[in-house]
Amino acid sequence: MNLSKKIKFAALLAASLFVTGCGSQANIGYVDSGRLMEEAPQIKAVLDEGRQKAEEIQKEMQTTLENNPDWSEEEKNKATADAQRKLMGINQAYATQLKYKLDEALAAISQEKKLDVVVDSSKNQPIVLQGGIDITEDAIKKLQ
């Protein structure tokens, strides 16, 4: 079991123990994050924009190196490091945007459906094997 799956399983187990320990039945929702990334227009737009920005930085870096063939290894390394810092910043900014959009949509759906817990249960790595409420389609609609 990989680390990501272990963390998801531990979170689900902890949530279900907490809720069942309170004497009530847990309302568990699950979402297929793979489908969200492929089908939710807002998510696809953020991913596409992030990829485009990353490609622009990579092209700029390549052009800079091609236009400066006389640069020393130190100058090349500095330019490469600068480009990598820009890429990391872009990745972080777009990851934050994705998280915000997903959190906002899932929180609204959780409230509407009175869910106690929402877990990621993709087809590749299912967490919820039986029961639960699949809210993937609701999330895709919310992220139109």
Side-chain angles (χ1 to χ4, degrees):
M1 187 180 292
N2 67 29
L3 183 60
S4 174
K5 196 167 185 176
K6 286 180 184 177
I7 291 170
K8 289 177 187 177
F9 179 75
L12 177 61
L13 181 62
S16 63
L17 289 175
F18 172 75
V19 174
T20 55
C22 294
S24 64
Q25 186 176 3
N27 292 320
I28 298 173
Y30 62 93
V31 65
D32 183 341
S33 61
R35 273 193 64 205
L36 283 180
M37 297 299 168
E38 293 172 8
E39 297 177 31
Q42 287 185 35
I43 300 303
K44 285 173 51 176
V46 170
L47 290 171
D48 290 344
E49 187 177 330
R51 279 189 207 109
Q52 183 180 8
K53 295 280 187 190
E55 287 173 6
E56 287 172 13
I57 289 173
Q58 290 171 340
K59 286 178 184 176
E60 285 176 23
M61 178 62 204
Q62 186 176 1
T63 301
T64 300
L65 290 176
E66 288 172 359
N67 290 339
N68 296 291
D70 297 336
W71 273 6
S72 67
E73 280 302 309
E74 185 178 326
E75 290 169 315
K76 289 177 186 177
N77 290 340
K78 183 182 181 307
T80 301
D82 289 343
Q84 287 174 341
R85 276 192 290 280
K86 287 180 186 177
L87 284 172
M88 286 177 23
I90 284 174
N91 286 337
Q92 185 175 9
Y94 284 96
T96 301
Q97 281 185 41
L98 280 177
K99 183 178 178 347
Y100 175 77
K101 287 185 180 295
L102 286 171
D103 287 351
E104 189 177 64
L106 295 177
I109 294 166
S110 294
Q111 189 172 15
E112 291 167 11
K113 296 193 177 277
K114 296 179 178 28
L115 300 174
D116 298 309
V117 178
V118 175
V119 296
D120 182 1
S121 188
S122 65
K123 289 180 183 175
N124 298 350
Q125 294 182 327
I127 299 297
V128 177
L129 301 176
Q130 183 178 7
I133 300 167
D134 185 354
I135 62 169
T136 304
E137 199 62 42
D138 297 311
I140 291 169
K141 287 176 184 172
K142 183 109 21 216
L143 292 163
Q144 288 293 325

